Amino acid sequence: MALLIINLDKVIGTAQAWRDTFKAQIPDLPIRIWPDVGEAKDIEYLAFMHPDFDQLPAFPNLKAMFSRSAGVEGIVEHPKVPKVPLGKVEPPGGDPMMTEYVVMHVLRFHRDMPAYQAAQAKREWRRVPIIRPDQRRVGFLGFGMMAKAPALVLQSLGFNVSAWVRSPRPAAVVPTFHGRDQLPAFLGQTDIAVCLLPLTPETEGIFCARTFAMMPRGAMLVNVGRGRHVVDKDLIAALDSGQLSYAALDALWPEPLPPENPLWLHPKVTVMPHVARRPTVAQLVTEVAANIRSLKAGGRLLQEVDVTRGY
C-alpha cells in the first residue's frame, strides 16, 4: 500500500525531499508522486494541495486524505471527492510563522506605524499620544490552533484579548463570544480584529458595511483567513470614512490580486501575497505520519475535517 502526493512537490520542497523525509519516518510506506500513480488499488492515502479530482482515478482502497490547502471549501464541495476522511495537516500547537505574522501586524497597527511612515515621507516630525497595550482590545475571529498562540503572545504583552467562535465552548484562555447573536457585542469591543476563520457560507463576506459599523470608530483589521471574508468595496468605504483606520490583508480574492484592484494603492491598506506562513516538508510529513499511525492503531485522524461544517 502507498501514499500518493499531489502538487505538494510543486510548491513545497522537491519530490525527492518528500520521499526521503517519509522514508525517515515511515520506512515501509511507498511514496508515489502524481502523475505516477502506479496501480490505483495500491493507494491508501492521498496528500495534496489544490487537487483536480476530475483528473484522478478511483482509488478502491483509499483510507484517508490529507490537505495542505489554505481552505477546504473547494475540496469538500467537489462532486468527485472520495468519500473517505479528510484531515488538515497542521502542527498541533500552531505555526510559529503564523504567530509572528499576526503579532507583527497587530503591533504595527497598535504603534501606528503606517502613520509614522507617511509622516516620514513628508519629513514631518510626528509626535502624538501613545496608546499602551492595556488600552488596546484585540479580537480574534476564529480560535483554532493558529489563533491561540498569537493570542497568548499578545495577552502576555498586556493587550486585552478576546475571541469569537461559531458555537459555545468551555472556558478558554481568553474571554470568548459565540454565535451571530454575540457578534455585535464582540466587534463593539474590538479595536484590532484578527480574522482566522474558515470560509463557509456563514462566514463569507462577514467583514462588510454592516459589521464594520459595529466596530469602534478607527478600528483596524488583520485578515489571515480567506479573501472572501472581506467585501472589498465596503472595506474601502469604511477606510475612506474613518470608520476603520487600517487593514492588513494576507488573503485576498481573487489571488493573485489583479493590478487594477484599488486595494493595491490604498494608503491605509497593506497587501501581502498570501505569505503568512510556509510550512516545511519535515513539518508536513511529521503531521501526516502521526495521522497514519493513529489510523493504524485504530484511532481517528488527528484534525479531521467536518464536511458538514466545511472545516
Side-chain angles (χ1 to χ4, degrees), residues 122-150:
K122 296 183 292 185
R123 298 178 176 87
E124 176 186 333
W125 191 257
R126 181 177 184 268
R127 292 179 65 84
V128 295
I130 296 175
I131 296 176
R132 299 190 59 80
D134 59 9
Q135 298 172 293
R136 189 78 78 183
R137 301 162 297 180
V138 182
F140 284 79
L141 290 93
F143 204 59
M145 290 177 296
M146 290 297 157
K148 289 179 181 177

mmCIF file of all heavy atoms in Angstrom, residues 122-150:
data_model
loop_
_atom_site.group_PDB
_atom_site.id
_atom_site.type_symbol
_atom_site.label_atom_id
_atom_site.label_comp_id
_atom_site.label_asym_id
_atom_site.label_seq_id
_atom_site.Cartn_x
_atom_site.Cartn_y
_atom_site.Cartn_z
ATOM 1 N N LYS A 122 6.774 62.788 4.351
ATOM 2 C CA LYS A 122 6.536 64.239 4.243
ATOM 3 C C LYS A 122 7.533 65.050 5.084
ATOM 4 O O LYS A 122 7.373 66.262 5.248
ATOM 5 C CB LYS A 122 5.105 64.554 4.702
ATOM 6 C CG LYS A 122 4.020 63.938 3.820
ATOM 7 C CD LYS A 122 2.624 64.342 4.263
ATOM 8 C CE LYS A 122 2.262 63.732 5.607
ATOM 9 N NZ LYS A 122 0.847 64.025 5.979
ATOM 10 N N ARG A 123 8.536 64.353 5.664
ATOM 11 C CA ARG A 123 9.525 64.978 6.541
ATOM 12 C C ARG A 123 8.852 65.667 7.733
ATOM 13 O O ARG A 123 9.251 66.745 8.173
ATOM 14 C CB ARG A 123 10.396 65.983 5.766
ATOM 15 C CG ARG A 123 11.204 65.367 4.646
ATOM 16 C CD ARG A 123 12.006 66.437 3.897
ATOM 17 N NE ARG A 123 12.862 65.852 2.872
ATOM 18 C CZ ARG A 123 12.464 65.586 1.629
ATOM 19 N NH1 ARG A 123 11.199 65.837 1.278
ATOM 20 N NH2 ARG A 123 13.293 65.074 0.748
ATOM 21 N N GLU A 124 7.842 65.011 8.251
ATOM 22 C CA GLU A 124 7.068 65.562 9.371
ATOM 23 C C GLU A 124 7.489 64.878 10.669
ATOM 24 O O GLU A 124 7.475 63.641 10.772
ATOM 25 C CB GLU A 124 5.569 65.343 9.111
ATOM 26 C CG GLU A 124 4.664 65.781 10.240
ATOM 27 C CD GLU A 124 3.203 65.413 9.981
ATOM 28 O OE1 GLU A 124 2.816 65.312 8.801
ATOM 29 O OE2 GLU A 124 2.469 65.209 10.962
ATOM 30 N N TRP A 125 7.864 65.683 11.671
ATOM 31 C CA TRP A 125 8.245 65.154 12.990
ATOM 32 C C TRP A 125 6.960 64.939 13.786
ATOM 33 O O TRP A 125 6.475 65.833 14.461
ATOM 34 C CB TRP A 125 9.177 66.133 13.671
ATOM 35 C CG TRP A 125 9.852 65.600 14.907
ATOM 36 C CD1 TRP A 125 9.526 65.880 16.194
ATOM 37 C CD2 TRP A 125 10.963 64.708 14.948
ATOM 38 N NE1 TRP A 125 10.360 65.222 17.056
ATOM 39 C CE2 TRP A 125 11.266 64.492 16.311
ATOM 40 C CE3 TRP A 125 11.737 64.075 13.962
ATOM 41 C CZ2 TRP A 125 12.306 63.670 16.725
ATOM 42 C CZ3 TRP A 125 12.782 63.259 14.384
ATOM 43 C CH2 TRP A 125 13.054 63.057 15.745
ATOM 44 N N ARG A 126 6.433 63.741 13.717
ATOM 45 C CA ARG A 126 5.088 63.463 14.244
ATOM 46 C C ARG A 126 5.177 62.947 15.679
ATOM 47 O O ARG A 126 5.707 61.876 15.939
ATOM 48 C CB ARG A 126 4.393 62.436 13.342
ATOM 49 C CG ARG A 126 2.985 62.067 13.761
ATOM 50 C CD ARG A 126 2.382 61.095 12.751
ATOM 51 N NE ARG A 126 0.990 60.785 13.049
ATOM 52 C CZ ARG A 126 0.590 59.751 13.789
ATOM 53 N NH1 ARG A 126 1.490 58.928 14.315
ATOM 54 N NH2 ARG A 126 -0.700 59.540 14.009
ATOM 55 N N ARG A 127 4.644 63.702 16.608
ATOM 56 C CA ARG A 127 4.601 63.262 17.997
ATOM 57 C C ARG A 127 3.154 63.351 18.487
ATOM 58 O O ARG A 127 2.569 64.435 18.532
ATOM 59 C CB ARG A 127 5.526 64.107 18.873
ATOM 60 C CG ARG A 127 7.005 63.894 18.564
ATOM 61 C CD ARG A 127 7.887 64.769 19.430
ATOM 62 N NE ARG A 127 7.789 64.422 20.857
ATOM 63 C CZ ARG A 127 8.483 63.456 21.442
ATOM 64 N NH1 ARG A 127 9.324 62.717 20.730
ATOM 65 N NH2 ARG A 127 8.361 63.230 22.731
ATOM 66 N N VAL A 128 2.585 62.191 18.815
ATOM 67 C CA VAL A 128 1.193 62.121 19.249
ATOM 68 C C VAL A 128 1.132 61.230 20.490
ATOM 69 O O VAL A 128 2.086 60.515 20.798
ATOM 70 C CB VAL A 128 0.295 61.522 18.134
ATOM 71 C CG1 VAL A 128 0.259 62.446 16.927
ATOM 72 C CG2 VAL A 128 0.777 60.134 17.744
ATOM 73 N N PRO A 129 0.023 61.267 21.238
ATOM 74 C CA PRO A 129 -0.094 60.385 22.402
ATOM 75 C C PRO A 129 0.066 58.917 22.004
ATOM 76 O O PRO A 129 -0.380 58.499 20.932
ATOM 77 C CB PRO A 129 -1.513 60.667 22.914
ATOM 78 C CG PRO A 129 -1.808 62.048 22.441
ATOM 79 C CD PRO A 129 -1.138 62.177 21.109
ATOM 80 N N ILE A 130 0.713 58.154 22.850
ATOM 81 C CA ILE A 130 0.954 56.732 22.581
ATOM 82 C C ILE A 130 -0.008 55.900 23.421
ATOM 83 O O ILE A 130 -0.111 56.079 24.636
ATOM 84 C CB ILE A 130 2.414 56.358 22.905
ATOM 85 C CG1 ILE A 130 3.367 57.125 21.980
ATOM 86 C CG2 ILE A 130 2.629 54.858 22.763
ATOM 87 C CD1 ILE A 130 4.828 56.909 22.301
ATOM 88 N N ILE A 131 -0.701 54.990 22.776
ATOM 89 C CA ILE A 131 -1.654 54.117 23.464
ATOM 90 C C ILE A 131 -0.911 52.898 23.998
ATOM 91 O O ILE A 131 -0.149 52.242 23.272
ATOM 92 C CB ILE A 131 -2.780 53.691 22.501
ATOM 93 C CG1 ILE A 131 -3.578 54.927 22.073
ATOM 94 C CG2 ILE A 131 -3.688 52.658 23.155
ATOM 95 C CD1 ILE A 131 -4.645 54.637 21.051
ATOM 96 N N ARG A 132 -1.145 52.568 25.233
ATOM 97 C CA ARG A 132 -0.499 51.420 25.857
ATOM 98 C C ARG A 132 -1.261 50.140 25.526
ATOM 99 O O ARG A 132 -2.459 50.175 25.204
ATOM 100 C CB ARG A 132 -0.417 51.613 27.367
ATOM 101 C CG ARG A 132 0.406 52.832 27.785
ATOM 102 C CD ARG A 132 0.642 52.828 29.282
ATOM 103 N NE ARG A 132 1.346 51.611 29.705
ATOM 104 C CZ ARG A 132 2.663 51.443 29.587
ATOM 105 N NH1 ARG A 132 3.415 52.399 29.062
ATOM 106 N NH2 ARG A 132 3.225 50.323 29.990
ATOM 107 N N PRO A 133 -0.591 48.969 25.607
ATOM 108 C CA PRO A 133 -1.266 47.708 25.281
ATOM 109 C C PRO A 133 -2.540 47.465 26.088
ATOM 110 O O PRO A 133 -3.530 46.949 25.552
ATOM 111 C CB PRO A 133 -0.200 46.657 25.590
ATOM 112 C CG PRO A 133 1.092 47.369 25.406
ATOM 113 C CD PRO A 133 0.840 48.773 25.880
ATOM 114 N N ASP A 134 -2.543 47.854 27.375
ATOM 115 C CA ASP A 134 -3.732 47.581 28.182
ATOM 116 C C ASP A 134 -4.913 48.476 27.812
ATOM 117 O O ASP A 134 -6.027 48.300 28.322
ATOM 118 C CB ASP A 134 -3.423 47.680 29.679
ATOM 119 C CG ASP A 134 -2.899 49.048 30.098
ATOM 120 O OD1 ASP A 134 -2.928 49.993 29.279
ATOM 121 O OD2 ASP A 134 -2.454 49.171 31.253
ATOM 122 N N GLN A 135 -4.660 49.434 26.917
ATOM 123 C CA GLN A 135 -5.743 50.272 26.402
ATOM 124 C C GLN A 135 -6.234 49.798 25.033
ATOM 125 O O GLN A 135 -7.112 50.421 24.455
ATOM 126 C CB GLN A 135 -5.261 51.720 26.276
ATOM 127 C CG GLN A 135 -4.852 52.360 27.586
ATOM 128 C CD GLN A 135 -4.202 53.707 27.364
ATOM 129 O OE1 GLN A 135 -3.107 53.832 26.807
ATOM 130 N NE2 GLN A 135 -4.895 54.761 27.793
ATOM 131 N N ARG A 136 -5.663 48.725 24.524
ATOM 132 C CA ARG A 136 -5.986 48.236 23.188
ATOM 133 C C ARG A 136 -6.637 46.859 23.284
ATOM 134 O O ARG A 136 -6.140 45.965 23.960
ATOM 135 C CB ARG A 136 -4.719 48.142 22.349
ATOM 136 C CG ARG A 136 -4.979 47.856 20.885
ATOM 137 C CD ARG A 136 -5.429 49.095 20.137
ATOM 138 N NE ARG A 136 -4.295 49.970 19.842
ATOM 139 C CZ ARG A 136 -4.418 51.136 19.246
ATOM 140 N NH1 ARG A 136 -5.616 51.578 18.884
ATOM 141 N NH2 ARG A 136 -3.351 51.891 19.008
ATOM 142 N N ARG A 137 -7.747 46.686 22.554
ATOM 143 C CA ARG A 137 -8.505 45.434 22.590
ATOM 144 C C ARG A 137 -8.355 44.704 21.254
ATOM 145 O O ARG A 137 -8.712 45.228 20.211
ATOM 146 C CB ARG A 137 -9.974 45.733 22.876
ATOM 147 C CG ARG A 137 -10.183 46.470 24.208
ATOM 148 C CD ARG A 137 -11.542 47.131 24.293
ATOM 149 N NE ARG A 137 -11.737 48.173 23.275
ATOM 150 C CZ ARG A 137 -12.836 48.893 23.138
ATOM 151 N NH1 ARG A 137 -13.853 48.701 23.964
ATOM 152 N NH2 ARG A 137 -12.933 49.806 22.188
ATOM 153 N N VAL A 138 -7.804 43.489 21.332
ATOM 154 C CA VAL A 138 -7.579 42.673 20.141
ATOM 155 C C VAL A 138 -8.562 41.517 20.149
ATOM 156 O O VAL A 138 -8.649 40.773 21.140
ATOM 157 C CB VAL A 138 -6.132 42.141 20.096
ATOM 158 C CG1 VAL A 138 -5.905 41.324 18.819
ATOM 159 C CG2 VAL A 138 -5.139 43.298 20.180
ATOM 160 N N GLY A 139 -9.307 41.368 19.064
ATOM 161 C CA GLY A 139 -10.304 40.309 18.985
ATOM 162 C C GLY A 139 -10.017 39.341 17.853
ATOM 163 O O GLY A 139 -9.815 39.752 16.707
ATOM 164 N N PHE A 140 -9.973 38.054 18.167
ATOM 165 C CA PHE A 140 -9.737 37.008 17.165
ATOM 166 C C PHE A 140 -11.068 36.409 16.723
ATOM 167 O O PHE A 140 -11.836 35.908 17.553
ATOM 168 C CB PHE A 140 -8.855 35.907 17.738
ATOM 169 C CG PHE A 140 -7.403 36.267 17.828
ATOM 170 C CD1 PHE A 140 -6.935 37.077 18.866
ATOM 171 C CD2 PHE A 140 -6.495 35.817 16.887
ATOM 172 C CE1 PHE A 140 -5.594 37.428 18.947
ATOM 173 C CE2 PHE A 140 -5.156 36.153 16.961
ATOM 174 C CZ PHE A 140 -4.711 36.960 17.992
ATOM 175 N N LEU A 141 -11.326 36.442 15.445
ATOM 176 C CA LEU A 141 -12.480 35.744 14.881
ATOM 177 C C LEU A 141 -11.993 34.390 14.409
ATOM 178 O O LEU A 141 -11.203 34.282 13.464
ATOM 179 C CB LEU A 141 -13.112 36.527 13.730
ATOM 180 C CG LEU A 141 -13.825 37.818 14.164
ATOM 181 C CD1 LEU A 141 -12.867 39.006 14.080
ATOM 182 C CD2 LEU A 141 -15.059 38.063 13.321
ATOM 183 N N GLY A 142 -12.445 33.345 15.085
ATOM 184 C CA GLY A 142 -11.883 32.014 14.916
ATOM 185 C C GLY A 142 -10.821 31.817 15.976
ATOM 186 O O GLY A 142 -9.958 32.681 16.172
ATOM 187 N N PHE A 143 -10.926 30.710 16.703
ATOM 188 C CA PHE A 143 -9.973 30.491 17.790
ATOM 189 C C PHE A 143 -9.503 29.046 17.792
ATOM 190 O O PHE A 143 -9.572 28.334 18.789
ATOM 191 C CB PHE A 143 -10.598 30.873 19.132
ATOM 192 C CG PHE A 143 -9.566 31.234 20.179
ATOM 193 C CD1 PHE A 143 -8.681 32.274 19.960
ATOM 194 C CD2 PHE A 143 -9.485 30.537 21.369
ATOM 195 C CE1 PHE A 143 -7.723 32.602 20.907
ATOM 196 C CE2 PHE A 143 -8.542 30.859 22.333
ATOM 197 C CZ PHE A 143 -7.657 31.899 22.090
ATOM 198 N N GLY A 144 -9.005 28.623 16.606
ATOM 199 C CA GLY A 144 -8.409 27.304 16.489
ATOM 200 C C GLY A 144 -6.931 27.349 16.808
ATOM 201 O O GLY A 144 -6.428 28.286 17.444
ATOM 202 N N MET A 145 -6.214 26.345 16.333
ATOM 203 C CA MET A 145 -4.794 26.214 16.685
ATOM 204 C C MET A 145 -3.965 27.408 16.235
ATOM 205 O O MET A 145 -3.049 27.840 16.927
ATOM 206 C CB MET A 145 -4.240 24.933 16.060
ATOM 207 C CG MET A 145 -4.777 23.668 16.693
ATOM 208 S SD MET A 145 -4.161 22.213 15.847
ATOM 209 C CE MET A 145 -4.901 22.434 14.232
ATOM 210 N N MET A 146 -4.265 27.945 15.047
ATOM 211 C CA MET A 146 -3.460 29.035 14.523
ATOM 212 C C MET A 146 -3.685 30.340 15.293
ATOM 213 O O MET A 146 -2.834 31.227 15.283
ATOM 214 C CB MET A 146 -3.752 29.251 13.040
ATOM 215 C CG MET A 146 -3.251 28.144 12.161
ATOM 216 S SD MET A 146 -1.444 28.006 12.231
ATOM 217 C CE MET A 146 -1.227 26.306 11.730
ATOM 218 N N ALA A 147 -4.829 30.478 15.947
ATOM 219 C CA ALA A 147 -5.142 31.720 16.656
ATOM 220 C C ALA A 147 -4.651 31.717 18.094
ATOM 221 O O ALA A 147 -4.293 32.777 18.632
ATOM 222 C CB ALA A 147 -6.649 31.961 16.627
ATOM 223 N N LYS A 148 -4.636 30.567 18.724
ATOM 224 C CA LYS A 148 -4.351 30.543 20.162
ATOM 225 C C LYS A 148 -2.946 31.039 20.495
ATOM 226 O O LYS A 148 -2.760 31.798 21.454
ATOM 227 C CB LYS A 148 -4.561 29.128 20.702
ATOM 228 C CG LYS A 148 -6.028 28.730 20.750
ATOM 229 C CD LYS A 148 -6.215 27.322 21.264
ATOM 230 C CE LYS A 148 -7.695 26.947 21.266
ATOM 231 N NZ LYS A 148 -7.908 25.544 21.694
ATOM 232 N N ALA A 149 -1.960 30.631 19.706
ATOM 233 C CA ALA A 149 -0.582 31.030 20.020
ATOM 234 C C ALA A 149 -0.381 32.545 19.931
ATOM 235 O O ALA A 149 0.132 33.156 20.876
ATOM 236 C CB ALA A 149 0.403 30.282 19.120
ATOM 237 N N PRO A 150 -0.781 33.212 18.820
ATOM 238 C CA PRO A 150 -0.612 34.672 18.813
ATOM 239 C C PRO A 150 -1.469 35.375 19.853
ATOM 240 O O PRO A 150 -1.059 36.416 20.395
ATOM 241 C CB PRO A 150 -1.012 35.081 17.387
ATOM 242 C CG PRO A 150 -1.799 33.949 16.847
ATOM 243 C CD PRO A 150 -1.247 32.717 17.514
#
